Amino acid sequence: MTERSKESVTPTTTIGVNCDMGESFGIYTLGCDEELMSHITAANVACGFHAGDPSVMAETIAAAKRHGVAVGAHPSLPDRQGFGRREMKLRPDELESLLTYQVGALTGFLAAAGMELHHLKVHGALYGMTARQSDLALTVCAVAAAYDVPVYGMAGTMHEECARRAGVGFVSEYYSDLDYADDGTLIISRTHGAAEPELAAERARRAIREGLVESVGGVDVAVRADTVCLHSDTPNAVELAAAVSSVVAEENASRQPAPQGGLQR
């Protein structure tokens, strides 16, 4: 286990805001990536299997560099038509090859831009599959270890357990624009509807302060918000990001130590 991995295992005192983006393709535009960059700290960039293409990857990385935003790989099941939100059966060795292929492509573009890979976060249906299946989650962690980066995922699932077992860093996400089921799992829909910014911001504040979010059934379920996630394909993503990032900034400021020494007279 590297020193970088050891450090990333310790929960950060600064909460981040991350966004799934880089999901346009050819002449088709999806999401307002440039406008979102000023509200986030990390971009999860699509690697071509559910969305994105080589030009979009390069353009998204360039935008992230201009805004000082870290870039993570956002690989998917090979399902462009279903936007990576349909499950399929895979052996761990098949998944390892799929991930290595996609992350390798993104790191090539990052190297060309003079940037480094920041993290690994799988997309869509694969995110849900790896939250439940230890063999697939361990495969994700093995690829993350090969690139010496932490994994983004959900606390209390196989994401966290397998990261611990594999000795890689883990960053727990809270989702501000998705609903949670009564058992604490994410409800991953094929398309995202608009989210009410003020409500989403207050829910994010509660997730940060109390580690709780209300499910669709009215049950409080446990979450941990090391970083708050947004999706660029949410219809009002920019307004949502502005509201949520403002709350995160306030919460980060409240965590800063008080100045020493008081006023000078």
Side-chain angles (χ1 to χ4, degrees):
M1 182 171 163
T2 66
E3 287 302 312
R4 181 176 177 180
S5 296
K6 286 179 183 177
E7 290 173 0
S8 58
V9 168
T10 303
T12 176
T13 57
T14 301
I15 301 156
V17 179
N18 74 87
C19 185
D20 299 354
M21 53 176 42
E23 294 172 332
S24 298
F25 179 77
I27 64 171
Y28 302 100
T29 300
L30 181 64
C32 302
D33 290 2
E34 184 74 36
E35 293 90 336
L36 284 164
M37 287 290 181
S38 61
H39 300 295
I40 65 175
T41 57
N44 314 310
V45 179
C47 300
F49 273 35
H50 76 281
D53 62 31
S55 295
V56 171
M57 279 193 277
E59 291 165 4
T60 308
I61 288 169
K65 186 174 183 177
R66 287 195 300 273
H67 288 269
V69 171
V71 172
H74 198 41
S76 167
L77 297 172
D79 177 28
R80 187 182 294 278
Q81 185 172 354
F83 204 70
R85 290 175 179 160
R86 302 182 294 188
E87 291 195 3
M88 61 177 61
K89 293 187 181 297
L90 288 173
R91 299 190 312 268
D93 63 304
E94 292 176 310
L95 178 59
E96 184 172 13
S97 295
L98 286 170
L99 295 178
T100 301
Y101 186 96
Q102 293 177 78
V103 179
L106 187 72
T107 56
F109 285 106
L110 284 167
M115 297 180 70
E116 293 185 355
L117 184 69
H118 182 261
H119 64 273
L120 172 59
K121 173 188 171 180
V122 296
H123 166 82
L126 184 57
Y127 192 91
M129 291 164 63
T130 53
R132 302 187 305 269
Q133 299 176 233
S134 62
D135 57 343
L136 299 184
L138 284 169
T139 300
V140 172
C141 292
V143 175
Y147 285 94
D148 191 23
V149 293
V151 170
Y152 278 25
M154 287 184 67
T157 71
M158 283 297 138
H159 294 157
E160 183 172 30
E161 169 64 18
C162 291
R164 183 190 62 77
R165 287 162 57 184
V168 300
F170 176 74
V171 178
S172 178
E173 297 184 285
Y174 164 72
Y175 281 79
S176 63
D177 55 2
L178 292 183
D179 289 324
Y180 285 75
D182 292 354
D183 62 358
T185 59
L186 277 177
I187 299 175
I188 301 175
S189 55
R190 289 284 298 276
T191 58
H192 295 151
E196 204 284 309
E198 288 73 22
L199 177 60
E202 287 310 308
R203 283 165 61 92
R205 191 189 303 278
R206 186 179 185 221
I208 293 166
R209 291 185 176 182
E210 302 178 32
L212 293 171
V213 64
E214 185 176 337
S215 74
V216 291
V219 178
D220 279 347
V221 296
V223 293
R224 192 172 82 236
D226 299 333
T227 182
V228 178
C229 179
L230 307 157
H231 292 86
S232 64
D233 66 317
T234 300
N236 60 336
V238 176
E239 293 81 3
L240 180 66
V244 169
S245 64
S246 177
V247 162
V248 171
E250 291 171 6
E251 293 301 311
N252 281 330
S254 71
R255 293 175 170 216
Q256 298 304 310
Q260 300 296 312
L263 295 174
Q264 298 295 318
R265 298 185 183 274

